[in-house]
Amino acid sequence: MTTLLAVFLAVPAMAQSQSDDDVVWVQIEAHPSLAAATERARDFSAQFEDVNGFALGGGWYGIAVGPYRRADAELVRRTYVRQGLVARDSFIQLSSRFRQQFWPIGANVLNRGVVEAPASVGAPAPQTPTETPTEETAVQEEAPVVIAEEPDETPREARRSEQLLNRDERKDLQIALQWAGYYNAAIDGAFGRGTRNSMAAWQEANGYDVTGVLTSRQRAALIGQYNAVLDGLGLQMVRDETASIEIMMPTAEVTFARYEPPFAHYDSTGNIGASVLLISQAGDQNTLFGLYDIMQTLEIVPLDGPRARKNNSFELIGENGSIISQTQVSLQNGQIKGFTLIWPAGDEDRRRRVVAEMSKSLTRLDGTLDPAAGGSDTQAIDLVAGLKIRQPKISRSGFFIDGQGTVATTSEAVQACTRVTLDGDTEVDVLADDSVSGVALLKPRDRLSPMAVARFGNTPPRLQSEISVAGYSYEGVLSAATLTFGTLADLKGLRGEENLNRLALAAQPGDAGGPVFDVSGNVLGMLLPNAQDGQQLPENVSFAIEGATIAELVQQSGLSLTQTDDTGSVAPRDLRIAAQGMTVLVSCWE
C-alpha cells in the first residue's frame, strides 16, 4: 500500500448500512478491450491497493480505486492527479454505474453474479486418488469470465450523474468535444444549447441514441478518444527541483540532459524526435522582453508562426518543414518561468494535446534556476545557453547608394531566399536583380537614415593606383566592415570585358558586394564574388563591376546616385569612418 493511501479511510466493501451515494469510487481509466483493461489494472495494482476493474457496458471496461466515503474519494483523486499517478480526467463514480467485476480475478465486491462458463471450457482432466499429479496436470486453467452486458443509463440517470461533475470536468468534456470537431464555442463548463448540440452530434457519429446528454459510459468513451492520441508518450508529472518547475512531460520521448541557464534541457530519447526546454530565471520586465528577443534568434524557433508579447508574458510559435516549436513564458513575482516544446512537423494532433497538458499543469515552485548551474564547457559565439543561433545560408556585403537606404549588393546574395536582411534584422525587398552584371538593388521596408552614402567618381581611375574594398570579410563574425587594400591592375576583365576592373587584392567571400574606393574615397564600383566555374585564379586576383553599370541599373529602377568630381586624397581614418558608415551586412535566409 502506498504511503498516500495510509492517510485515507477506505470503507468496507459495500457496507450495507450506507447508501449507494455514500459509497463511491475514483474511476481512473476506461478501455474498450477487456484484455487491455486487465493489463492496466494489473499495472495499477503494483502501485497501490484497492484497485478494481468493472464492466461499464457498451463494450467498455473501467478501472477504479476504492470504495471510499465521498470526501475521502475527492481527496484521493486530487492527490493522485497532483502526483501524476492517474490522469487528470479521473472522476468520482457511483457503485451503481459498475457492472460485473473482472479484477481482481475472482473478486465480486458488488455481490452480483456472473454467467457461468460452460463446463467444457477450461475444465481440468479428472484424476484418480492414486495418481500423482504431474507438472502438466497440476496447472489448472482458469475459466474465462463472461460478463453480461447491462443497459446504459437512461437520460434521467445521465443527467443525475452529470450533475456530480465539477466545473473542470465539465470543461474537459467541452475540450474533448472541441478536439473531436463537434464544438466551437467557449470552454466555460456551462452546458448550454451549443454544448448539447455538440453532444448530440457526437452521439450520432458514434452510434449512440441521440439525446444531447452523455451518459457516464459515453463520457468515458469521449474522454478515451480524446486521450488515445497520447498513448505511448508516457505523459506524466515531472518535478525539476533545480529549475523549480513541476510540469507534465512526454517522458517516453524526452529525458533530462543538462542545465544551461536559463534553460533545463530535456533531450529526445524516443522515436519522435521531440525535446523540451524548461525556462527559469530571476528578472523583471526588461529581462522578459530580452528573452523574447533572444528566443527568436534561435534555430529551435523557426521564423514562420505567430508570436505575441504582453506586459508579463509571451508566446512564440515557430514552424518550418521539419519542426514546430511552441514557447510559453510568464513573469510573476520577479521569477520568469515557462517551457518550450519542440515537436516534429506533421503531427499536430499530438503536439497540440501535449502543449495543452504542459500548459495547464505547469506549477511554479519557489526559486529559479541558479545562473551558475550546469557549468558546460561548450562555448561558441553561435550558441546561446547551449542552443544554436539561427544562421543565414549566405552573407555578403552591400552599401548605401542614397539617403532612403537603398543598397547595392551582389546578385549572389539574393538568390533563393525566403527573406533578405541588412545587419541581421532590417527586412528588405529586392528592387532589382541583374544576373548578367551581378548587381542587385535592395529597398528597406522601413525607411533608413544611413550614416554615409556612396559618392561615385566621374574621373576615370589610374592604372596601378591604390584602391580599397570595404566588406564583411568573415560574413558577420566581426561587427563592422573592414578595409582591404590593393591596387587597380587593369581597367577591363581577363577576356577584355569593358565593364570590369581587375584588382590586385586578396578578398574574402564575404567582401563580395562591397564598395571599391579610389584614393579620394569615391566609389569606383562593386566587388564581385570569385568565379565558380572551376577556374582557379591566383589568390590576389579579384574583379569589380564598374560604377557606370551600377548607375544604369539604378536609373532603370527610378533612382539616382550621388556623383562627384573630387580628386583630392582622403585620410585613412576618414575613409574608414565613411566606409563603415555606408557598408552593411546582407544576409539571405532559408
Side-chain angles (χ1 to χ4, degrees), residues 408-463:
T409 187
T410 172
S411 180
E412 178 190 38
V414 298
Q415 300 304 310
C417 311
T418 59
R419 68 179 187 128
V420 180
T421 62
L422 303 181
D423 294 334
D425 55 5
T426 300
E427 301 273 352
V428 295
D429 295 315
V430 179
L431 183 63
D433 180 16
D434 183 3
S435 59
V436 176
S437 65
V439 179
L441 301 179
L442 308 177
K443 180 181 180 180
R445 294 179 180 175
D446 297 316
R447 182 169 177 172
L448 302 178
S449 298
M451 296 177 60
V453 174
R455 298 181 307 156
F456 286 79
N458 289 325
T459 304
R462 297 179 61 83
L463 283 174

Side-chain angles (χ1 to χ4, degrees), residues 306-326:
R307 41 213 67 191
R309 191 189 74 179
K310 300 179 181 178
N311 288 335
N312 60 356
S313 65
F314 68 79
E315 182 170 17
L316 297 170
I317 299 178
E319 55 185 304
N320 56 29
S322 301
I323 65 168
I324 300 179
S325 75
Q326 187 160 348

Side-chain angles (χ1 to χ4, degrees), residues 274-451:
S275 57
V276 170
L277 297 174
L278 298 185
I279 302 169
S280 176
Q281 67 177 137
D284 55 16
Q285 188 183 71
N286 290 331
T287 312
L288 179 74
F289 289 0
L291 179 63
Y292 175 78
D293 292 334
I294 290 172
M295 292 289 295
Q296 294 182 77
T297 70
L298 302 178
E299 281 189 352
I300 63 166
V301 183
L303 294 171
D304 291 337
R307 41 213 67 191
R309 191 189 74 179
K310 300 179 181 178
N311 288 335
N312 60 356
S313 65
F314 68 79
E315 182 170 17
L316 297 170
I317 299 178
E319 55 185 304
N320 56 29
S322 301
I323 65 168
I324 300 179
S325 75
Q326 187 160 348
T327 301
Q328 295 179 1
V329 178
S330 63
L331 168 65
Q332 295 181 19
N333 301 320
Q335 297 183 352
I336 298 169
K337 293 185 180 179
F339 69 89
T340 298
L341 175 69
I342 302 99
W343 202 264
D347 190 17
E348 267 300 273
D349 279 350
R350 286 199 293 185
R351 187 195 70 81
R352 287 189 291 109
R353 285 298 315 281
V354 172
V355 166
E357 293 296 330
M358 294 180 70
S359 180
K360 69 182 181 181
S361 68
L362 189 146
T363 302
R364 308 167 71 98
L365 308 178
D366 187 40
T368 58
L369 183 59
D370 186 344
S376 172
D377 294 331
T378 302
Q379 300 185 58
I381 62 172
D382 61 347
L383 293 178
V384 172
L387 299 170
K388 287 190 70 66
I389 298 173
R390 189 185 305 107
Q391 299 293 323
K393 71 174 187 177
I394 186 174
S395 289
R396 294 293 183 259
S397 301
F399 57 100
F400 292 117
I401 61 172
D402 63 22
Q404 284 70 47
T406 306
V407 170
T409 187
T410 172
S411 180
E412 178 190 38
V414 298
Q415 300 304 310
C417 311
T418 59
R419 68 179 187 128
V420 180
T421 62
L422 303 181
D423 294 334
D425 55 5
T426 300
E427 301 273 352
V428 295
D429 295 315
V430 179
L431 183 63
D433 180 16
D434 183 3
S435 59
V436 176
S437 65
V439 179
L441 301 179
L442 308 177
K443 180 181 180 180
R445 294 179 180 175
D446 297 316
R447 182 169 177 172
L448 302 178
S449 298
M451 296 177 60

Side-chain angles (χ1 to χ4, degrees), residues 232-233 250-254 267-275 343-344 347 350:
L233 297 180
T251 58
E253 295 296 328
V254 302
D267 290 349
S268 174
T269 54
N271 298 322
I272 292 178
S275 57
W343 202 264
D347 190 17
R350 286 199 293 185

Side-chain angles (χ1 to χ4, degrees), residues 26 96 111 195 204 302 308 402-403 412 451 499:
V26 180
S96 60
N111 295 320
T195 303
E204 182 177 14
D402 63 22
E412 178 190 38
M451 296 177 60
N499 64 341

